[in-house]
Amino acid sequence: MTSRGPFVIGEVPGFTPGIGRLVSMMRYVRQTTEAAVTGLTVAQLDYLHDARSNSIGALLSHVVAVESWYQAKTFFGRDLDADEMREWGSALDLGDAARTTIRGRPLEHYLERMRRVRERTLEELRRRDDAWLDEMAPFWEGQPANNHFKWFHVFEDELNHRGQIRWLRARAAAAD
């Protein structure tokens, strides 16, 4: 976080003021996501509440896959390439593919991927200025969106899934 603590959204050294505020929010969300999964076992990470649910491991992978997709789209103006889709495709889509392929990994596997992808995000954000946040492009159903919204959506998605993770964690612990 910053020297001010985790509950102050503000400038972050190395980033322009607006990007710094965005980064401070992203850091808080990530800190709370990591806290929500601390100490989970492989069995808890793989727990499926029912035939349609996603595991905590799959949700963590999804968070990273979404961030990777937004890196490609907003930093490089492209979709994920074939190699990236092989790495992230089932995590992006979740569902049946994720239920069968995203299993058997320890917590550190997911946390390391989260750290690696986030570091790339931060490296790229350091290269941009606040005007970049305002750049617009077509988004969902052709509606315009700026980069600020797109990166807000990255951590909004993480927050949503963090709620699911907390819910699943309580049920996985009860199932042990």
Side-chain angles (χ1 to χ4, degrees):
M1 300 279 88
T2 68
S3 61
R4 298 177 303 243
F7 307 124
V8 175
I9 295 170
E11 294 183 21
V12 176
F15 299 93
T16 59
I19 290 176
R21 285 188 292 280
L22 182 70
V23 166
S24 67
M25 289 183 269
M26 292 172 71
R27 286 181 175 170
Y28 173 77
V29 170
R30 182 55 50 87
Q31 177 188 21
T32 57
T33 299
E34 290 175 359
V37 298
T38 297
L40 288 177
T41 65
V42 172
Q44 291 168 320
L45 290 163
D46 289 350
Y47 171 76
L48 292 170
H49 187 68
D50 58 39
R52 292 180 36 211
S53 67
N54 292 293
S55 68
I56 293 171
L59 293 171
L60 292 172
S61 293
H62 176 75
V63 164
V64 180
V66 165
E67 187 164 338
S68 295
W69 187 85
Y70 277 86
Q71 287 175 351
K73 202 66 168 169
T74 63
F75 298 147
F76 309 113
R78 62 175 179 81
D79 285 318
L80 295 176
D81 63 28
D83 288 338
E84 291 165 329
M85 281 305 294
R86 275 190 288 283
E87 182 175 6
W88 302 117
S90 63
L92 273 175
D93 296 337
L94 292 172
D96 289 336
R99 281 188 279 279
T100 59
T101 63
I102 304 173
R103 308 192 57 68
R105 297 178 180 109
L107 179 59
E108 188 53 40
H109 165 83
Y110 300 105
L111 295 177
E112 179 55 35
R113 287 167 63 110
M114 291 169 76
R115 283 190 281 273
R116 180 173 40 91
V117 168
R118 177 54 54 87
E119 185 51 43
R120 184 171 188 206
T121 296
L122 296 176
E123 286 173 17
E124 291 299 329
L125 288 173
R126 281 183 191 96
R127 295 182 178 137
R128 283 153 179 85
D129 60 21
D130 289 351
W132 175 84
L133 289 172
D134 294 327
E135 289 178 14
M136 306 259 293
F139 198 51
W140 287 323
E141 298 177 1
Q143 294 293 313
N146 62 15
N147 288 322
H148 204 152
F149 174 83
K150 292 172 188 175
W151 282 94
F152 159 77
H153 179 66
V154 169
F155 68 83
E156 173 197 32
D157 187 71
E158 183 170 338
L159 285 167
N160 177 53
H161 294 302
R162 189 187 69 218
Q164 292 175 311
I165 287 167
R166 287 177 173 162
W167 189 91
L168 283 166
R169 181 180 185 139
R171 279 131 191 99
D176 283 344

